[in-house]
Amino acid sequence: MDTLAVTQTEETLRKAVADLVQDLGFGGFAFLHVEPARTIAVSNYPEEWQERYLDGNYPAIDPIVKIARSRMRPFNWVTGNPRSAENQEIRNFYEEANDFGIRSGISIPVRTAFQYVSMLTLASDKSMLRLESDIDQTAAVTAVGYLHAKIEQQDRGVVRSGVCELTPKQALCLKWSAEGKTMRDIAVLEDMSFATVNFHLNNARKALDAGSLAQATAIATRLRLI
């Protein structure tokens, strides 16, 4: 936290964290914050892996991210034998991670604003970690929370907007919804059936990975899709 307090650029922040992680005996680190409309990442992983991870939407299939969201506390993990993974998609993910020397580590998730999650992962090329002591959860979570605030404040990291495409009908219905019109209003205005309007809005919500119509309109507005 002391080191982060004096970093002024993205490069010095990345180097500071990388040096600290190396002192702790790990090979690399990755800070990740995922929202439906954007992903923020700061890491010293190989560039090729970072590009694959973001361009391939790996946060959606990464088992470590899923565990972090469900547990919300620091935990150890290993990729183990990729062939024992539950499905081919995860097997492929583990195999690629292993190719880049990501085989075990510690992940520390924290809850951020609006029920989103940020997490810091310390990774190793060892098949299994042997920690001399348990993780100090309070200190770990405090540090990651501070890191999240620092990155958000300085607008640092690789920011990728979600790759979302709406059909013309989906965008039209969503725009009317953003203007405060009900589905019955939209049906009358656009000479559609209520079922058709509901169909387009529901598909738009799924395309934007939104939990509600209100969230879908907010995301679409932020991404300038409507």
Short mmCIF file of all heavy atoms in Angstrom, two decimals, residues 31-40 65 68-69 72 109-119 148 152 208-212 214-216 218-219 222:
data_model
loop_
_atom_site.label_atom_id
_atom_site.label_comp_id
_atom_site.label_asym_id
_atom_site.label_seq_id
_atom_site.Cartn_x
_atom_site.Cartn_y
_atom_site.Cartn_z
N PHE A 31 -4.44 -8.21 -12.06
CA PHE A 31 -5.58 -7.54 -11.44
C PHE A 31 -6.68 -7.52 -12.49
O PHE A 31 -6.46 -7.17 -13.65
CB PHE A 31 -5.23 -6.11 -11.04
CG PHE A 31 -6.44 -5.31 -10.62
CD1 PHE A 31 -6.90 -5.34 -9.31
CD2 PHE A 31 -7.14 -4.55 -11.55
CE1 PHE A 31 -8.02 -4.62 -8.92
CE2 PHE A 31 -8.26 -3.82 -11.17
CZ PHE A 31 -8.71 -3.86 -9.86
N LEU A 32 -7.90 -7.90 -12.10
CA LEU A 32 -9.00 -8.00 -13.04
C LEU A 32 -10.27 -7.42 -12.44
O LEU A 32 -10.63 -7.73 -11.30
CB LEU A 32 -9.24 -9.47 -13.42
CG LEU A 32 -10.19 -9.76 -14.58
CD1 LEU A 32 -9.60 -9.25 -15.90
CD2 LEU A 32 -10.45 -11.25 -14.68
N HIS A 33 -10.94 -6.56 -13.19
CA HIS A 33 -12.24 -6.02 -12.80
C HIS A 33 -13.16 -6.17 -14.00
O HIS A 33 -12.87 -5.64 -15.08
CB HIS A 33 -12.13 -4.56 -12.40
CG HIS A 33 -13.46 -3.92 -12.08
ND1 HIS A 33 -14.11 -4.16 -10.88
CD2 HIS A 33 -14.26 -3.10 -12.79
CE1 HIS A 33 -15.26 -3.49 -10.87
NE2 HIS A 33 -15.37 -2.83 -12.02
N VAL A 34 -14.24 -6.93 -13.84
CA VAL A 34 -15.13 -7.24 -14.96
C VAL A 34 -16.53 -6.70 -14.71
O VAL A 34 -17.12 -6.93 -13.66
CB VAL A 34 -15.21 -8.77 -15.19
CG1 VAL A 34 -16.09 -9.08 -16.38
CG2 VAL A 34 -13.81 -9.35 -15.41
N GLU A 35 -17.03 -5.96 -15.69
CA GLU A 35 -18.41 -5.51 -15.72
C GLU A 35 -19.01 -5.94 -17.05
O GLU A 35 -18.28 -6.30 -17.97
CB GLU A 35 -18.49 -3.98 -15.57
CG GLU A 35 -17.94 -3.43 -14.28
CD GLU A 35 -18.04 -1.92 -14.21
OE1 GLU A 35 -18.78 -1.33 -15.04
OE2 GLU A 35 -17.37 -1.32 -13.36
N PRO A 36 -20.34 -5.90 -17.19
CA PRO A 36 -20.94 -6.27 -18.48
C PRO A 36 -20.42 -5.44 -19.65
O PRO A 36 -20.29 -5.94 -20.75
CB PRO A 36 -22.43 -6.05 -18.24
CG PRO A 36 -22.61 -6.25 -16.78
CD PRO A 36 -21.37 -5.69 -16.16
N ALA A 37 -20.12 -4.16 -19.40
CA ALA A 37 -19.73 -3.28 -20.50
C ALA A 37 -18.23 -3.08 -20.64
O ALA A 37 -17.77 -2.50 -21.61
CB ALA A 37 -20.40 -1.91 -20.32
N ARG A 38 -17.43 -3.52 -19.67
CA ARG A 38 -15.99 -3.29 -19.75
C ARG A 38 -15.22 -4.25 -18.86
O ARG A 38 -15.76 -4.82 -17.91
CB ARG A 38 -15.66 -1.85 -19.34
CG ARG A 38 -15.98 -1.55 -17.88
CD ARG A 38 -15.47 -0.19 -17.45
NE ARG A 38 -15.70 0.01 -16.02
CZ ARG A 38 -15.03 0.86 -15.27
NH1 ARG A 38 -14.09 1.60 -15.81
NH2 ARG A 38 -15.31 0.98 -13.98
N THR A 39 -13.96 -4.43 -19.22
CA THR A 39 -13.03 -5.22 -18.42
C THR A 39 -11.77 -4.41 -18.23
O THR A 39 -11.22 -3.87 -19.19
CB THR A 39 -12.68 -6.55 -19.12
OG1 THR A 39 -13.86 -7.33 -19.27
CG2 THR A 39 -11.67 -7.33 -18.30
N ILE A 40 -11.32 -4.27 -16.98
CA ILE A 40 -10.08 -3.56 -16.68
C ILE A 40 -9.06 -4.59 -16.21
O ILE A 40 -9.35 -5.39 -15.32
CB ILE A 40 -10.28 -2.49 -15.60
CG1 ILE A 40 -11.30 -1.45 -16.06
CG2 ILE A 40 -8.95 -1.81 -15.27
CD1 ILE A 40 -11.64 -0.42 -15.00
N VAL A 65 -12.14 -17.12 -11.72
CA VAL A 65 -13.05 -15.97 -11.60
C VAL A 65 -14.38 -16.41 -10.99
O VAL A 65 -14.94 -15.73 -10.12
CB VAL A 65 -13.28 -15.31 -12.97
CG1 VAL A 65 -14.35 -14.22 -12.88
CG2 VAL A 65 -11.98 -14.70 -13.50
N ALA A 68 -13.91 -16.99 -7.30
CA ALA A 68 -13.76 -15.72 -6.60
C ALA A 68 -15.11 -15.06 -6.36
O ALA A 68 -15.38 -14.54 -5.27
CB ALA A 68 -12.86 -14.79 -7.42
N ARG A 69 -15.97 -15.09 -7.35
CA ARG A 69 -17.29 -14.47 -7.21
C ARG A 69 -18.15 -15.18 -6.19
O ARG A 69 -18.95 -14.57 -5.49
CB ARG A 69 -17.99 -14.46 -8.57
CG ARG A 69 -17.45 -13.40 -9.54
CD ARG A 69 -18.05 -13.56 -10.91
NE ARG A 69 -17.72 -12.43 -11.79
CZ ARG A 69 -17.85 -12.45 -13.10
NH1 ARG A 69 -18.29 -13.56 -13.70
NH2 ARG A 69 -17.55 -11.39 -13.81
N MET A 72 -15.73 -15.00 -2.35
CA MET A 72 -15.44 -13.66 -1.86
C MET A 72 -14.49 -13.67 -0.67
O MET A 72 -14.69 -12.97 0.31
CB MET A 72 -16.74 -12.93 -1.52
CG MET A 72 -17.54 -12.49 -2.74
SD MET A 72 -16.55 -11.54 -3.95
CE MET A 72 -15.99 -10.18 -2.94
N PRO A 109 -10.28 -11.81 -3.99
CA PRO A 109 -11.38 -11.00 -4.55
C PRO A 109 -11.89 -9.99 -3.54
O PRO A 109 -11.82 -10.21 -2.32
CB PRO A 109 -12.46 -12.05 -4.85
CG PRO A 109 -12.23 -13.12 -3.81
CD PRO A 109 -10.75 -13.11 -3.48
N VAL A 110 -12.40 -8.87 -4.04
CA VAL A 110 -13.03 -7.86 -3.18
C VAL A 110 -14.31 -7.39 -3.87
O VAL A 110 -14.37 -7.31 -5.10
CB VAL A 110 -12.12 -6.66 -2.90
CG1 VAL A 110 -10.90 -7.07 -2.09
CG2 VAL A 110 -11.70 -5.95 -4.19
N ARG A 111 -15.30 -7.08 -3.08
CA ARG A 111 -16.54 -6.52 -3.61
C ARG A 111 -16.36 -5.03 -3.86
O ARG A 111 -15.84 -4.31 -3.02
CB ARG A 111 -17.69 -6.73 -2.62
CG ARG A 111 -19.04 -6.30 -3.13
CD ARG A 111 -19.62 -7.29 -4.10
NE ARG A 111 -19.94 -8.56 -3.46
CZ ARG A 111 -20.30 -9.65 -4.13
NH1 ARG A 111 -20.34 -9.63 -5.45
NH2 ARG A 111 -20.58 -10.77 -3.49
N THR A 112 -16.76 -4.58 -5.06
CA THR A 112 -16.64 -3.17 -5.39
C THR A 112 -18.03 -2.57 -5.60
O THR A 112 -19.04 -3.23 -5.35
CB THR A 112 -15.78 -2.99 -6.66
OG1 THR A 112 -16.39 -3.69 -7.76
CG2 THR A 112 -14.37 -3.54 -6.45
N ALA A 113 -18.07 -1.33 -6.04
CA ALA A 113 -19.34 -0.63 -6.17
C ALA A 113 -20.30 -1.36 -7.10
O ALA A 113 -19.89 -2.00 -8.07
CB ALA A 113 -19.10 0.79 -6.69
N PHE A 114 -21.59 -1.25 -6.79
CA PHE A 114 -22.68 -1.81 -7.59
C PHE A 114 -22.60 -3.32 -7.73
O PHE A 114 -22.95 -3.90 -8.77
CB PHE A 114 -22.73 -1.14 -8.97
CG PHE A 114 -22.84 0.36 -8.88
CD1 PHE A 114 -21.76 1.16 -9.22
CD2 PHE A 114 -24.01 0.96 -8.44
CE1 PHE A 114 -21.85 2.54 -9.12
CE2 PHE A 114 -24.10 2.34 -8.34
CZ PHE A 114 -23.02 3.14 -8.67
N GLN A 115 -22.08 -3.99 -6.68
CA GLN A 115 -22.03 -5.46 -6.60
C GLN A 115 -21.10 -6.11 -7.61
O GLN A 115 -21.24 -7.29 -7.93
CB GLN A 115 -23.45 -6.04 -6.74
CG GLN A 115 -24.40 -5.63 -5.63
CD GLN A 115 -23.94 -6.12 -4.26
OE1 GLN A 115 -23.77 -7.32 -4.08
NE2 GLN A 115 -23.72 -5.22 -3.32
N TYR A 116 -20.13 -5.36 -8.16
CA TYR A 116 -19.14 -5.95 -9.03
C TYR A 116 -17.98 -6.49 -8.19
O TYR A 116 -17.90 -6.25 -6.98
CB TYR A 116 -18.63 -4.94 -10.06
CG TYR A 116 -19.69 -4.54 -11.07
CD1 TYR A 116 -20.08 -3.21 -11.21
CD2 TYR A 116 -20.30 -5.50 -11.87
CE1 TYR A 116 -21.06 -2.85 -12.13
CE2 TYR A 116 -21.28 -5.15 -12.78
CZ TYR A 116 -21.65 -3.82 -12.91
OH TYR A 116 -22.61 -3.48 -13.81
N VAL A 117 -17.07 -7.21 -8.83
CA VAL A 117 -15.95 -7.83 -8.12
C VAL A 117 -14.64 -7.49 -8.82
O VAL A 117 -14.55 -7.54 -10.05
CB VAL A 117 -16.12 -9.36 -8.07
CG1 VAL A 117 -14.88 -10.02 -7.46
CG2 VAL A 117 -17.36 -9.74 -7.28
N SER A 118 -13.65 -7.14 -8.03
CA SER A 118 -12.27 -7.03 -8.51
C SER A 118 -11.46 -8.12 -7.84
O SER A 118 -11.79 -8.54 -6.72
CB SER A 118 -11.67 -5.66 -8.18
OG SER A 118 -12.24 -4.66 -8.98
N MET A 119 -10.40 -8.57 -8.50
CA MET A 119 -9.59 -9.61 -7.88
C MET A 119 -8.12 -9.46 -8.29
O MET A 119 -7.82 -9.02 -9.41
CB MET A 119 -10.10 -11.00 -8.26
CG MET A 119 -10.12 -11.28 -9.75
SD MET A 119 -10.87 -12.90 -10.13
CE MET A 119 -9.57 -14.00 -9.58
N HIS A 148 -7.56 -1.51 -6.26
CA HIS A 148 -8.72 -1.23 -7.12
C HIS A 148 -9.00 0.27 -7.17
O HIS A 148 -9.20 0.85 -8.25
CB HIS A 148 -9.96 -1.96 -6.60
CG HIS A 148 -11.23 -1.52 -7.26
ND1 HIS A 148 -11.65 -2.00 -8.48
CD2 HIS A 148 -12.17 -0.62 -6.86
CE1 HIS A 148 -12.78 -1.42 -8.81
NE2 HIS A 148 -13.13 -0.57 -7.84
N GLU A 152 -8.84 2.62 -10.53
CA GLU A 152 -10.04 3.33 -10.94
C GLU A 152 -9.81 4.84 -10.96
O GLU A 152 -10.22 5.54 -11.88
CB GLU A 152 -11.19 3.01 -9.99
CG GLU A 152 -11.86 1.67 -10.22
CD GLU A 152 -12.86 1.72 -11.35
OE1 GLU A 152 -14.01 2.09 -11.10
OE2 GLU A 152 -12.45 1.39 -12.50
N LEU A 208 -26.37 -7.97 -24.08
CA LEU A 208 -25.61 -7.04 -23.25
C LEU A 208 -25.22 -7.64 -21.91
O LEU A 208 -24.62 -6.96 -21.08
CB LEU A 208 -26.42 -5.76 -23.04
CG LEU A 208 -26.67 -4.93 -24.29
CD1 LEU A 208 -27.75 -3.89 -24.04
CD2 LEU A 208 -25.39 -4.27 -24.77
N ASP A 209 -25.60 -8.90 -21.70
CA ASP A 209 -25.30 -9.60 -20.44
C ASP A 209 -25.82 -8.81 -19.25
O ASP A 209 -25.15 -8.64 -18.23
CB ASP A 209 -23.79 -9.81 -20.30
CG ASP A 209 -23.45 -10.79 -19.16
OD1 ASP A 209 -24.32 -11.62 -18.83
OD2 ASP A 209 -22.33 -10.72 -18.63
N ALA A 210 -27.04 -8.31 -19.40
CA ALA A 210 -27.67 -7.50 -18.35
C ALA A 210 -28.69 -8.32 -17.59
O ALA A 210 -29.35 -9.20 -18.14
CB ALA A 210 -28.34 -6.27 -18.96
N GLY A 211 -28.83 -8.02 -16.31
CA GLY A 211 -29.77 -8.76 -15.47
C GLY A 211 -31.18 -8.22 -15.53
O GLY A 211 -32.12 -8.88 -15.08
N SER A 212 -31.36 -7.02 -16.06
CA SER A 212 -32.68 -6.41 -16.13
C SER A 212 -32.74 -5.48 -17.34
O SER A 212 -31.70 -5.11 -17.92
CB SER A 212 -32.99 -5.61 -14.87
OG SER A 212 -32.12 -4.49 -14.76
N ALA A 214 -33.62 -2.36 -17.25
CA ALA A 214 -33.04 -1.08 -16.85
C ALA A 214 -31.52 -1.10 -17.00
O ALA A 214 -30.91 -0.13 -17.48
CB ALA A 214 -33.43 -0.76 -15.41
N GLN A 215 -30.89 -2.22 -16.60
CA GLN A 215 -29.44 -2.33 -16.74
C GLN A 215 -29.06 -2.38 -18.22
O GLN A 215 -28.05 -1.80 -18.62
CB GLN A 215 -28.92 -3.57 -16.02
CG GLN A 215 -27.40 -3.65 -16.02
CD GLN A 215 -26.86 -4.95 -15.44
OE1 GLN A 215 -27.56 -5.94 -15.35
NE2 GLN A 215 -25.60 -4.95 -15.04
N ALA A 216 -29.86 -3.06 -19.03
CA ALA A 216 -29.58 -3.15 -20.46
C ALA A 216 -29.58 -1.78 -21.12
O ALA A 216 -28.71 -1.45 -21.93
CB ALA A 216 -30.59 -4.07 -21.14
N ALA A 218 -29.03 1.06 -19.63
CA ALA A 218 -27.89 1.82 -19.12
C ALA A 218 -26.60 1.42 -19.83
O ALA A 218 -25.79 2.28 -20.22
CB ALA A 218 -27.75 1.60 -17.61
N ILE A 219 -26.40 0.11 -20.03
CA ILE A 219 -25.20 -0.38 -20.70
C ILE A 219 -25.18 0.07 -22.16
O ILE A 219 -24.17 0.55 -22.68
CB ILE A 219 -25.11 -1.91 -20.63
CG1 ILE A 219 -24.88 -2.35 -19.17
CG2 ILE A 219 -23.99 -2.44 -21.53
CD1 ILE A 219 -24.97 -3.85 -18.98
N ARG A 222 -24.29 3.69 -22.36
CA ARG A 222 -22.88 3.91 -22.05
C ARG A 222 -22.00 3.54 -23.25
O ARG A 222 -21.01 4.20 -23.54
CB ARG A 222 -22.48 3.09 -20.84
CG ARG A 222 -21.07 3.40 -20.31
CD ARG A 222 -20.65 2.40 -19.25
NE ARG A 222 -21.67 2.18 -18.24
CZ ARG A 222 -21.65 1.18 -17.39
NH1 ARG A 222 -20.69 0.28 -17.43
NH2 ARG A 222 -22.60 1.03 -16.48
#
